[in-house]
Amino acid sequence: MSALLLLFTCLLLGVLVARFAKPPAGIVHGVNWWVINVALPALVLALVPKVKVDAQLWFPVAAMWVTFFGAWLLFAVLGKMLNWSRERIGALTLVCGLGNTAFMGYPMMEALHGKQGLALAVVADQLGCFPLLSSAGVAVASIYAGRSPQAGVIARRILTFPSFLALLLAVIVGALGGWPPLLDDVFTPIGATLTPLALFSVGLQFKFHLGERQLPAVLLGLGWKLLLAPLVAVLLGVAAGVGGLTLTVGVLQAGMAPMISAAILADEYKLEPSLANTLLGAGIVLSLITIPLGNLLLGG
């Protein structure tokens, strides 16, 4: 309960500061820079060498890919049936296909399942959502915005991302037996700053403005992201014989709130930004209910 209270407190602080405190311009960029370029790589370096590799570790990663490509298929079909614009289909695919598996997923999995759950959340994010955002996400944004995806740009995004480089190093270190205690004691507290700052940043950026004729798209989008996607992940995991904490974390990450970076990407490519931000804000609020509830239903 104390971990969940920390999560809610940091999120609420961000909302209140943005609303009443008049924070300095650029504060969101500064906080996000630290989280992405310092805290996240440190957390990866601290946790990944301790992850026990087993035959079920593919599942949290596969659940992220199923969620994204399931969203693309679903909204492409619905888009034709409901006569949606290409921009709307692209926005729904991005925002409801990619989950907030780092900024919200890490704190929530740590609150619900401790360091073991956090380590599995890192695997799902770094091998699932991050490569998807940088590759298929950019491709979808380009296609629905009428542009041509550039393979070189996509490859550069992945290969130069700090936490991806940290992941490669952490895998090597894990294979060699892990870090010396001295280094481990450095990475762990730096990585611990991710939870409060990430949720504070989410609160600073929280918006909810329901535009005209957006309600059906919002309901269908969040219906997939928060309900159907985790249900599909459960069915996949059970059919494949996956169980325990690996199943639980994979399913919960599949049902995590929409990704902030996906909404930013939709805005950058002019894919109905108002809808993307509405999905983001509503998804964050609802996931604070659906994730703990889903955890209970999974026996967490």
Side-chain angles (χ1 to χ4, degrees), residues 266-294:
D267 183 62
E268 179 183 340
Y269 281 79
K270 304 296 187 291
L271 299 176
E272 203 164 340
S274 62
L275 174 63
N277 286 320
T278 298
L279 287 164
L280 179 64
I284 288 171
V285 172
L286 291 174
S287 70
L288 296 175
I289 300 170
T290 58
I291 293 299
L293 180 59

Side-chain angles (χ1 to χ4, degrees), residues 122-167:
V122 169
V123 171
D125 177 64
Q126 290 298 298
L127 296 179
C129 270
F130 163 65
L132 277 168
L133 171 68
S134 302
S135 56
V138 173
V140 164
S142 300
I143 290 168
Y144 285 96
R147 306 183 195 176
S148 298
Q150 298 181 344
V153 173
I154 291 172
R156 188 161 54 250
R157 280 192 181 211
I158 296 174
L159 296 176
T160 60
F161 195 63
S163 61
F164 179 76
L165 299 176
L167 178 65

Side-chain angles (χ1 to χ4, degrees), residues 181-229:
L182 181 63
L183 286 178
D184 200 34
D185 290 342
V186 172
F187 295 137
T188 300
I190 294 176
T193 63
L194 184 143
T195 292
L197 288 178
L199 268 297
F200 180 68
S201 175
V202 170
L204 285 173
Q205 300 172 79
F206 181 81
K207 294 179 182 178
F208 182 78
H209 299 293
L210 187 62
E212 185 180 357
R213 300 179 184 175
Q214 287 185 349
L215 184 58
V218 170
L219 293 176
L220 289 169
L222 294 181
W224 166 257
K225 189 69 195 75
L226 302 180
L227 298 175
L228 290 179

Side-chain angles (χ1 to χ4, degrees), residues 29-262:
H29 176 75
V31 171
N32 287 352
W33 189 94
W34 172 270
V35 169
I36 292 171
N37 294 287
V38 180
L40 180 53
L43 189 65
V44 170
L45 291 171
L47 292 178
V48 170
K50 300 173 186 176
V51 173
K52 295 180 180 179
V53 179
D54 60 44
Q56 297 185 352
L57 204 56
W58 62 269
F59 174 71
V61 178
M64 303 301 100
W65 288 74
V66 168
T67 298
F68 180 82
F69 286 102
W72 194 355
L73 175 62
L74 175 65
F75 297 126
V77 172
L78 287 176
K80 287 186 177 181
M81 293 173 58
L82 300 174
N83 198 30
W84 284 343
S85 67
R86 291 176 60 82
E87 291 79 8
R88 174 161 292 191
I89 296 171
L92 284 164
T93 300
L94 284 175
V95 181
C96 297
L98 294 165
N100 204 334
T101 51
F103 275 39
M104 290 197 70
Y106 290 180
M108 294 194 80
M109 292 307 101
E110 184 176 22
L112 295 169
H113 295 289
K115 294 297 182 184
Q116 282 185 308
L118 177 56
L120 289 170
V122 169
V123 171
D125 177 64
Q126 290 298 298
L127 296 179
C129 270
F130 163 65
L132 277 168
L133 171 68
S134 302
S135 56
V138 173
V140 164
S142 300
I143 290 168
Y144 285 96
R147 306 183 195 176
S148 298
Q150 298 181 344
V153 173
I154 291 172
R156 188 161 54 250
R157 280 192 181 211
I158 296 174
L159 296 176
T160 60
F161 195 63
S163 61
F164 179 76
L165 299 176
L167 178 65
L168 296 180
L169 178 58
V171 169
I172 295 171
V173 170
L176 296 175
W179 298 106
L182 181 63
L183 286 178
D184 200 34
D185 290 342
V186 172
F187 295 137
T188 300
I190 294 176
T193 63
L194 184 143
T195 292
L197 288 178
L199 268 297
F200 180 68
S201 175
V202 170
L204 285 173
Q205 300 172 79
F206 181 81
K207 294 179 182 178
F208 182 78
H209 299 293
L210 187 62
E212 185 180 357
R213 300 179 184 175
Q214 287 185 349
L215 184 58
V218 170
L219 293 176
L220 289 169
L222 294 181
W224 166 257
K225 189 69 195 75
L226 302 180
L227 298 175
L228 290 179
L231 178 59
V232 171
V234 167
L235 296 176
L236 173 65
V238 171
V242 179
L245 187 59
T246 304
L247 176 68
T248 298
V249 171
V251 171
L252 294 180
Q253 285 284 62
M256 196 58 62
M259 181 190 282
I260 294 174
S261 298

